[in-house]
């Protein structure tokens, strides 16, 4: 008997329990010209995350005398990733505000996990391209980007281009929300659209928080709601990190403990 059956609650539309992640799949090396890449599939959401290293840093770092490397991200949704065609940003003449927000979030998340001094005077570009969107594209991008970055650093180390391992921890993210009074983990598009409250959590493999983004959708939420969402999010992220570790250990046998 499932938890929902025990409590008399109906299962979610896709059959999951309230605290259950969507099925997760990883396909490493999806972009062979990148230094590290992965196709992450979370349910019907699919994102290609690629990490590419350039042997230079932004001009503003040189002008301000800031040493070490830099990490920056770009995020985009391909025109056919949604139910109706989404015009490319270039056709609108400006970057979509939502995309700008998300790529800044991805950059912040990975910079929090990397020793930029150990990386050296290089720039790590993280490109996240959404192939199919069914909710949680930003969280899938962060979870996938962490894997791509680890693979890129492994390639640098193998080439003797870095003296010490720069990645201090793994990073993963998930969404949580409150829908009709129920706390749910890893919302798909329909759930996210109808949710009274939704939140995105970003955490490290050390169990620390990087960022929380949450708001009521024409609704308010209680301290109990917040505690429940955080608890679900922590549980989900710990599962994601376990899957990341398992994948990376099989792909990079001598990877440091993260």
């Amino acid at each position: 008997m499932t938890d929902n059956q025990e409590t008399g609650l109906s299962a979610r539309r896709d059959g999951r329990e309230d605290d259950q992640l969507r099925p997760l799949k990883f396909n490493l090396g999806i972009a062979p010209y990148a230094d590290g890449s992965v196709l992450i599939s979370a349910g019907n959401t699919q994102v290609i995350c690629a990490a590419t290293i350039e042997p230079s840093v932004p001009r503003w770092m040189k002008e301000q005398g800031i040493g070490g490397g830099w990490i920056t991200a770009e995020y985009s949704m391909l025109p056919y990733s949604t139910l109706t065609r989404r015009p490319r940003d270039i056709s609108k003449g400006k970057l979509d505000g939502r995309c700008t927000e998300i790529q800044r979030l991805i950059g912040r998340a990975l910079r929090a996990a990397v020793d930029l001094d150990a990386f050296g005077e290089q720039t790590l570009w993280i490109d996240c391209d959404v192939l199919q969107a069914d909710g949680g594209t930003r969280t899938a991008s962060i979870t996938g980007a962490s894997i791509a970055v680890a693979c890129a650093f492994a390639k640098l180390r193998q080439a003797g281009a870095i003296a010490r391992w720069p990645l201090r921890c793994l990073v993963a993210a998930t969404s949580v929300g409150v829908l009709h009074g129920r706390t749910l983990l890893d919302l798909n598009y329909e759930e996210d659209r109808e949710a009274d409250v939704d939140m995105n959590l970003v955490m490290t493999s050390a169990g620390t928080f990087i960022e929380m983004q949450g708001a009521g959708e024409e609704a308010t939420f209680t301290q109990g709601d917040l505690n429940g969402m955080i608890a679900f999010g922590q549980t989900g992220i710990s599962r994601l990190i376990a899957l990341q570790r398992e994948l990376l250990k099989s792909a990079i046998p001598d990877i440091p403990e993260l």
Side-chain angles (χ1 to χ4, degrees):
M1 181 179 293
T2 66
D3 292 338
N4 280 331
Q5 288 173 328
E6 290 173 353
T7 58
L9 297 174
S10 59
R12 297 162 75 172
R13 293 175 187 173
D14 56 10
R16 287 183 291 149
E17 299 297 323
D18 292 357
D19 62 351
Q20 186 176 357
L21 293 168
R22 287 176 288 181
L24 202 68
K25 296 179 182 178
F26 300 106
N27 185 359
L28 287 176
I30 192 70
Y33 295 137
D35 293 299
S37 64
V38 65
L39 168 62
I40 178 172
S41 301
N44 291 325
T45 288
Q46 298 181 35
V47 186
I48 291 179
C49 304
T52 308
I53 296 164
E54 289 186 350
S56 63
V57 294
R59 179 181 296 177
W60 62 265
M61 290 184 68
K62 296 178 180 179
E63 292 174 347
Q64 297 179 33
I66 299 174
W70 186 245
I71 298 175
T72 191
E74 291 189 1
Y75 165 98
S76 66
M77 298 180 70
L78 297 179
Y80 48 81
S81 63
T82 52
L83 289 173
T84 57
R85 186 182 186 277
R86 182 185 179 90
R88 296 182 191 273
D89 288 331
I90 193 171
S91 69
K92 297 181 289 185
K94 63 178 181 178
L95 190 63
D96 178 79
R98 176 180 175 275
C99 290
T100 300
E101 173 207 347
I102 292 174
Q103 62 190 34
R104 288 175 177 170
L105 171 63
I106 297 167
R108 288 195 301 271
L110 271 298
R111 288 194 295 271
V114 172
D115 181 348
L116 294 175
D117 290 328
F119 181 33
E121 290 190 1
Q122 304 180 88
T123 296
L124 177 60
W125 285 91
I126 302 168
D127 290 289
C128 298
D129 295 298
V130 179
L131 300 181
Q132 184 169 313
D134 186 31
T137 60
R138 76 184 67 195
T139 56
S141 294
I142 292 169
T143 303
S146 182
I147 295 169
V149 167
C151 292
F153 285 152
K155 185 176 180 179
L156 274 183
R157 184 178 61 174
Q158 186 178 17
I162 51 175
R164 67 180 190 271
W165 184 252
L167 190 60
R168 294 181 293 212
C169 56
L170 294 171
V171 176
T174 193
S175 63
V176 287
V178 177
L179 176 61
H180 305 317
R182 291 167 62 176
T183 301
L184 303 177
L185 174 66
D186 193 12
L187 279 62
N188 61 25
Y189 173 73
E190 286 187 347
E191 292 170 336
D192 182 70
R193 181 183 59 189
E194 297 176 7
D196 303 308
V197 183
D198 64 78
M199 176 179 287
N200 298 300
L201 274 73
V202 186
M203 296 182 66
T204 71
S205 53
T208 55
F209 292 92
I210 295 175
E211 192 149 346
M212 296 183 188
Q213 299 178 332
E217 299 291 341
E218 300 182 8
T220 61
F221 54 98
T222 66
Q223 181 71 53
D225 292 329
L226 178 61
N227 293 343
M229 287 188 289
I230 291 174
F232 270 33
Q234 287 175 307
T235 299
I237 288 174
S238 68
R239 294 171 187 163
L240 292 171
I241 296 242
L243 291 170
Q244 287 176 324
R245 283 174 171 155
E246 181 181 354
L247 175 70
L248 289 171
K249 283 181 179 179
S250 64
I252 312 168
D254 60 343
I255 189 171
E257 193 67 34
L258 296 170

